[in-house]
Amino acid sequence: MADNASARAELECRILDVAELVSPDVLQPADLFFDLAGEDIGRRLMLTSGPDGTTYCLRPDFTLPIAAQYLANGNAGETKAFGYLGPVFRQRDHGDFEFDQAGLEFLAPKDSEQTFTSIMHFAIDACALYGEDAPRLHLGAVDLFETLLAKLDLPDVWRPRVRDRFGHDAAMGRLLDRLAVPDQFDEQDQLPADDDELIAKIAADMEAAGLSPYSGRQAEEIVARYREKQMLAEAAVSLKTVRILREFLSIAGPAHEQAFRVAALGKKVGIDLDEPLEKFMGRLTELKTNAPQIEVEFDAGFAPRLDYYTGHVFELTANKTGEVLASGGQYDRLLERMGASDRISAVGCAIWLDRLEGGSK
Amino acid sequence: MSSILLAVPSKGRLEEASREAFAKVGLKIDRPGGARSYLGTIDALPDVTVRFLSASEIARELISGKIDLGITGEDLIHEAAETGIDQVVIAKPLNFGQADVVVALPNSWIDVTAMRDLADVASDYRHRHGQWLRVATKYVNLTRRYFAAHGIAEYRIVESLGATEAAPASGAAELIVDITSSGSTLKANELKVPQEGVILQSEANLVVSKTAGWSDEKRSQLEKLLTYFGDSVAQSALGSL
């Protein structure tokens, strides 16, 4: 079997075949990561600060620095293919804090479907270079969930909250419990029944407490949510909706069967999921033809807990250890979040070289 | 001959209470040089060297193993390092310095009565304002862990090293995580603690460092000291080293 050094050299050649190899600064402004991923990523960052008080981190991944560079260079909207290979830095429970990753980031690709397919095969082939010929492929479909969520009978205010919990099973479970059986509503004494009066009262309380009327939560939003809680307690979200969400999220297993389960669920509850389902079935057919050795699993609740992912997402895991060897997906919301004026499609993957190289020793 | 190093808070009420707690079990801590001196002794235990340090310094040095045991708060251990609590053994709560690390938010948030409300608010805030809800605190590690356990991801921490309770009024943050003993500071600032908002009930503890390097000789010295606080205290602490 090829040794690590030659596998790595081969991988680098393959990156160069399809992309421009870039190496963003190791030292990055920490805000770039905090702004997009919040405090969840905070505990993973290796932080340091500059003399002017700016907080920097050692890059924890390549995706965000590459996207930031793309926008800073004024490339927004231009089709670009970037590749990388080098160290990233994260605090983690197991393994060194510095480890190597390789990967691709295709920004504004002409055909994002086609690009996803080739990036996924790039990742499968990268694993094979290290002797992992048939890793398990774990697929998720953010678009399928978002389509379902948009069409469910659910007060609009709950849609983004449910979306924010997607990819976090425990938090989602608690939220669905709460929708099904709302908390008892503690009517607070002596609050005006009229909304305008209540807003005026809250605004006066805020002023008395010295809270700025121009920053933080406004009286209107506090009252709106107070009324909404009141309404939820009086008329819970339809149990049917909660049941559909629970049933959908429990769908996991061999991909082909699960696709049929999704279709059946959609049909049963009268929600049209045809478009994302067709796309998903197309993905499965393609995989069956071009990577028949790969066992494909689908998990309807699987998603990175980063809301800029939009389409399919995948993970390749080692058969023996279950470790993630590569991961990737479509993230059409990222560049817009970072300040691009329009939505720009993007697809990428990261290969965990440290695990592949450790495994083949 | 080796000796073990015991760190005691260096001033104020914590120093007094620490020395009282030791005196109560028959261990009188002497500070021959008075408040300006940072070394002390215990007559009954000549193998023990006493150092006077600030409580947060004691937490850091226990984690790194530079001192063998000391008196400090659990909150400070958590704050000194994310996995700091795994590097020490809490040998004995000492019944003073009680304080809670709590989540506190404006009284005017009438829609928030429990932590689960805060999960919704954090999510809504980001969608509505395009910014993260901000939490001012010096307890960065505790906050991250507690918020994650409650499924709250949509927020950012603003580090605050003093007068944290003023952060909502000054506009530096929307809510805070802070330590409180009587609750009066929170009350004065029109802040309330939601249900499940108590992150940690802390008090002064006698804490043993796991990383200090425990030779047989030091172990027996430690056992001798801890036995003053009861046989079970000594046995369970030594068993966890």
Side-chain angles (χ1 to χ4, degrees):
Chain A
M1 190 192 297
D3 61 52
N4 284 338
S6 58
R8 191 183 270 225
E10 173 61 24
L11 182 61
E12 190 169 343
C13 286
R14 292 187 188 179
I15 295 172
L16 285 165
D17 281 346
V18 295
E20 175 191 342
L21 195 63
V22 290
S23 97
D25 293 341
V26 169
L27 204 57
Q28 294 281 332
D31 274 346
L32 173 62
F33 298 91
F34 278 116
D35 286 350
L36 284 150
E39 211 56 50
D40 245 9
I41 197 162
R43 59 187 286 260
R44 303 259 162 246
L45 294 179
M46 308 294 298
L47 294 167
T48 186
S49 52
D52 62 351
T54 309
T55 307
Y56 295 95
C57 65
L58 302 182
R59 66 179 179 220
D61 70 23
F62 280 90
T63 309
L64 267 48
I66 287 176
Q69 191 64 47
Y70 170 82
L71 292 177
N73 288 346
N75 292 330
E78 261 176 70
T79 300
K80 289 275 187 186
F82 297 110
Y84 60 85
L85 196 166
V88 294
F89 306 82
R90 282 183 217 176
Q91 303 196 38
R92 47 184 188 167
D93 300 331
H94 305 285
D96 294 337
F97 293 171
E98 172 180 351
F99 52 100
D100 287 344
Q101 284 198 332
L104 299 172
E105 309 293 348
F106 284 25
L107 307 179
K110 296 224 157 59
D111 178 345
S112 47
E113 267 316 283
Q114 188 50 48
T115 304
F116 186 100
T117 305
S118 46
I119 284 184
M120 191 171 59
H121 283 283
F122 172 87
I124 293 172
D125 296 344
C127 294
L129 275 180
Y130 289 91
E132 287 279 354
D133 293 318
R136 282 163 180 275
L137 175 60
H138 197 56
L139 275 180
V142 178
D143 52 349
L144 203 48
F145 181 73
E146 289 187 345
T147 305
L148 175 77
L149 184 59
K151 295 182 176 182
L152 276 174
D153 170 28
L154 182 71
D156 280 339
V157 59
W158 285 96
R159 291 182 215 278
R161 292 178 191 159
V162 173
R163 175 61 185 85
D164 281 344
R165 303 285 165 279
F166 186 45
H168 187 312
D169 294 344
M172 178 71 92
R174 279 195 298 261
L175 185 132
L176 293 181
D177 289 347
R178 206 145 52 85
L179 279 179
V181 186
D183 297 332
Q184 203 178 336
F185 181 73
D186 313 318
E187 178 84 56
Q188 297 184 28
D189 291 343
Q190 295 151 352
L191 288 179
D194 176 74
D195 277 2
D196 290 338
E197 281 174 40
L198 184 53
I199 290 170
K201 178 187 162 11
I202 297 293
D205 288 351
M206 287 172 63
E207 202 187 329
L211 292 174
S212 159
Y214 304 110
S215 74
R217 296 185 79 210
Q218 305 296 296
E220 291 81 3
E221 66 189 281
I222 293 168
V223 170
R225 193 172 168 277
Y226 180 74
R227 293 290 185 225
E228 173 216 315
K229 262 180 91 176
Q230 198 169 12
M231 273 164 53
L232 182 69
E234 282 160 14
V237 165
S238 99
L239 276 179
K240 186 180 161 201
T241 295
V242 177
R243 225 169 14 232
I244 295 170
L245 277 168
R246 283 207 180 114
E247 191 174 335
F248 179 84
L249 292 168
S250 73
I251 293 176
H256 237 87
E257 284 167 36
Q258 309 316 308
F260 286 109
R261 283 178 66 191
V262 173
L265 175 65
K267 201 161 174 204
K268 185 174 83 183
V269 301
I271 291 180
D272 178 0
L273 299 170
D274 289 355
E275 203 186 314
L277 251 179
E278 208 168 293
K279 193 175 117 187
F280 185 69
M281 297 296 263
R283 167 99 41 242
L284 296 184
T285 309
E286 188 280 327
L287 276 163
K288 202 162 190 179
T289 312
N290 296 321
Q293 79 281 15
I294 302 277
E295 207 177 299
V296 186
E297 283 162 20
F298 171 69
D299 179 344
F302 165 55
R305 201 179 172 190
L306 289 165
D307 58 4
Y308 48 81
Y309 282 90
T310 49
H312 292 172
V313 291
F314 72 90
E315 270 178 2
L316 290 163
T317 56
N319 267 305
K320 268 184 255 163
T321 59
E323 276 183 323
V324 175
L325 302 174
S327 53
Q330 184 168 352
Y331 50 93
D332 293 357
R333 285 195 201 104
L334 178 68
L335 290 160
E336 195 179 11
R337 282 277 146 76
M338 293 176 77
S341 51
D342 292 310
R343 185 182 267 219
I344 299 173
S345 183
V347 188
C349 73
I351 317 273
W352 296 74
L353 285 180
D354 63 326
R355 292 177 185 163
L356 283 168
E357 293 182 348
S360 66
K361 262 176 213 151
Chain B
M1 193 192 74
S2 72
S3 67
I4 54 173
L5 204 52
L6 164 72
V8 175
S10 57
K11 44 182 174 249
R13 167 83 194 112
L14 282 180
E15 186 207 345
E16 264 171 53
S18 300
R19 291 170 75 173
E20 276 164 23
F22 268 63
K24 219 184 325 178
V25 299
L27 295 173
K28 184 164 164 291
I29 299 176
D30 290 311
R31 195 172 181 174
R36 299 184 78 87
S37 155
Y38 290 92
L39 282 177
T41 54
I42 299 176
D43 275 349
L45 295 168
D47 295 339
V48 175
T49 303
V50 179
R51 276 180 68 191
F52 292 91
L53 293 173
S54 81
S56 50
E57 214 171 330
I58 293 173
R60 276 200 305 274
E61 308 256 292
L62 282 168
I63 290 166
S64 65
K66 291 199 191 79
I67 53 182
D68 298 305
L69 75 166
I71 297 173
T72 190
E74 197 181 334
D75 60 318
L76 297 173
I77 298 277
H78 280 287
E79 234 15 73
E82 196 186 329
T83 56
I85 198 76
D86 303 331
Q87 332 259 34
V88 300
V89 182
I90 306 271
K92 167 91 179 138
L94 295 175
N95 264 320
F96 66 88
Q98 281 91 351
D100 295 346
V101 178
V102 299
V103 179
L105 39 88
N107 277 334
S108 54
W109 292 14
I110 54 169
D111 60 323
V112 180
T113 52
M115 283 302 285
R116 49 190 177 278
D117 289 312
L118 199 52
D120 291 351
V121 167
S123 185
D124 292 359
Y125 194 83
R126 179 142 189 255
H127 292 286
R128 187 186 276 257
H129 297 270
Q131 289 167 358
W132 303 97
L133 194 70
R134 294 164 304 166
V135 181
T137 188
K138 71 167 183 165
Y139 296 99
V140 176
N141 298 326
L142 280 170
T143 303
R144 280 188 187 143
R145 192 179 322 164
Y146 198 69
F147 277 42
H150 282 266
I152 305 173
E154 299 84 4
Y155 72 101
R156 274 206 65 175
I157 287 174
V158 180
E159 272 197 78
S160 156
L161 297 175
T164 306
E165 67 281 357
S170 73
E174 279 67 55
L175 66 153
I176 66 170
V177 168
D178 203 7
I179 194 138
T180 174
S181 43
S182 67
S184 58
T185 312
L186 298 182
K187 208 169 210 169
N189 285 277
E190 305 267 357
L191 298 171
K192 65 177 177 182
V193 178
Q195 286 164 37
E196 304 165 321
V198 179
I199 298 182
L200 180 77
Q201 292 183 305
S202 186
E203 66 177 302
N205 287 285
L206 186 55
V207 183
V208 180
S209 168
K210 282 189 194 173
T211 54
W214 290 101
S215 64
D216 288 345
E217 189 184 0
K218 277 176 66 182
R219 282 180 83 99
S220 71
Q221 290 165 349
L222 176 70
E223 185 174 5
K224 208 164 133 195
L225 189 159
L226 291 179
T227 304
Y228 278 84
F229 292 89
D231 288 344
S232 62
V233 171
Q235 289 324 309
S236 86
L238 283 155
S240 317
L241 281 185

